[in-house]
Amino acid sequence: MQIILSNIKMQINEKIYVKDPETSALGKKIIEQSILLIDDIGFDNFTFKKLGEKIGSNESSIYRYFENKHKLLVYLSSWYWSWIEYKLVFNTTNITDKKEKLKKAITIVTEKISEDIYTDHINESILNKIIIAEFTKTLHTKEVDQENKEGFFLIYKRMINRIVEIVKEVNPDYPFAKSLVSTIVEGSLHQHFLTDHLKTITDCNETVTTTQFYLNLAENVLR
C-alpha cells in the first residue's frame, strides 16, 4: 500500500488554489514547509510572510499558489481527507464480512498517524496533528455555504458517505447513519485533542485509544 499511495496524485478542487502546488518544486516546498510551520506556531500565528522567510522566497510567490492562508488550510485538509479516502477504499475493498469492514473503516478514520511513510514532501503524521488542532477552522467560517457550493468539501463529504454505506450494510434499519459517521469522524479529532491537552475530560489515554472508544460506540449503537 505504501508504494501505491506514494504514487497517487490527490485530486484537489482547482478552485481552492491559484496554481497547483504539485506542479512545481516551489509549490511542493510551500506545502511541505507550511505543514511544519503551522505545526510549530499554530494556524492563527501563521502568515505567508513567515512562510516566505522560512522557504527563502518572496511572500508574493506564495500568493501565486494560494489566495490566502484559509485556502491553504482547506487545501491541506482536502489533501488529508483524500489520502484517508484512498486508504479507506484500498483497505476495505476485499473485506466481505460487513462488521469487520466497518471496524476497519472506523479504525482508519480515527487512528492517530504516527509515521511519515508515504510522500516525500508531505509529513502525514504532522499533517494529522494539524487536522486534529485546526480542521474546524476550514468549516466554521462565514463563507462555508458558498465554499460548500463550490465543492471545497466534496472529498470530505464523499469519504464520510463511503462509511455511511458500510454502516447501512451492517444495519439497514439504523436511521441515523450519517449523523453517526460524521460524529465518529469529527468526534475522533476532538477526542485526540482532549487526550493531548485536556486529559481530565476524556477517557481516552495512553492505554485506551480513541479508536477503541468509537469501535465500542458503533458496536453498541448498531446492535
Side-chain angles (χ1 to χ4, degrees), residues 20-37:
D20 187 353
E22 293 291 329
T23 60
S24 72
L26 176 59
K28 290 181 179 180
K29 191 173 184 180
I30 288 171
I31 297 302
E32 177 186 27
Q33 295 301 319
S34 66
I35 291 172
L36 299 179
L37 187 57

Side-chain angles (χ1 to χ4, degrees), residues 83-138:
W83 177 64
I84 292 294
E85 182 185 33
Y86 275 116
K87 289 180 65 179
L88 179 67
V89 172
F90 186 90
N91 283 284
T92 61
T93 297
N94 295 321
I95 300 178
T96 55
D97 186 285
K98 297 173 184 178
K99 291 184 178 180
E100 289 302 316
K101 189 174 184 179
L102 180 59
K103 286 180 181 179
K104 187 64 177 180
I106 292 174
T107 298
I108 289 171
V109 297
T110 60
E111 65 184 353
K112 200 166 187 178
I113 311 302
S114 58
E115 296 181 356
D116 167 33
I117 58 176
Y118 295 108
T119 54
D120 293 332
H121 66 291
I122 294 182
N123 187 312
E124 288 86 6
S125 61
I126 295 179
L127 181 55
N128 175 239
K129 289 171 60 181
I130 291 173
I131 296 300
I132 289 170
E134 312 285 5
F135 177 63
T136 55
K137 293 175 184 175
T138 66

Side-chain angles (χ1 to χ4, degrees), residues 160 163-165 167-168 171 174-182:
I160 284 181
I163 306 175
V164 168
E165 292 306 311
V167 169
K168 290 180 179 179
N171 186 344
Y174 183 68
F176 308 113
K178 291 183 179 181
S179 295
L180 175 63
V181 176
S182 61

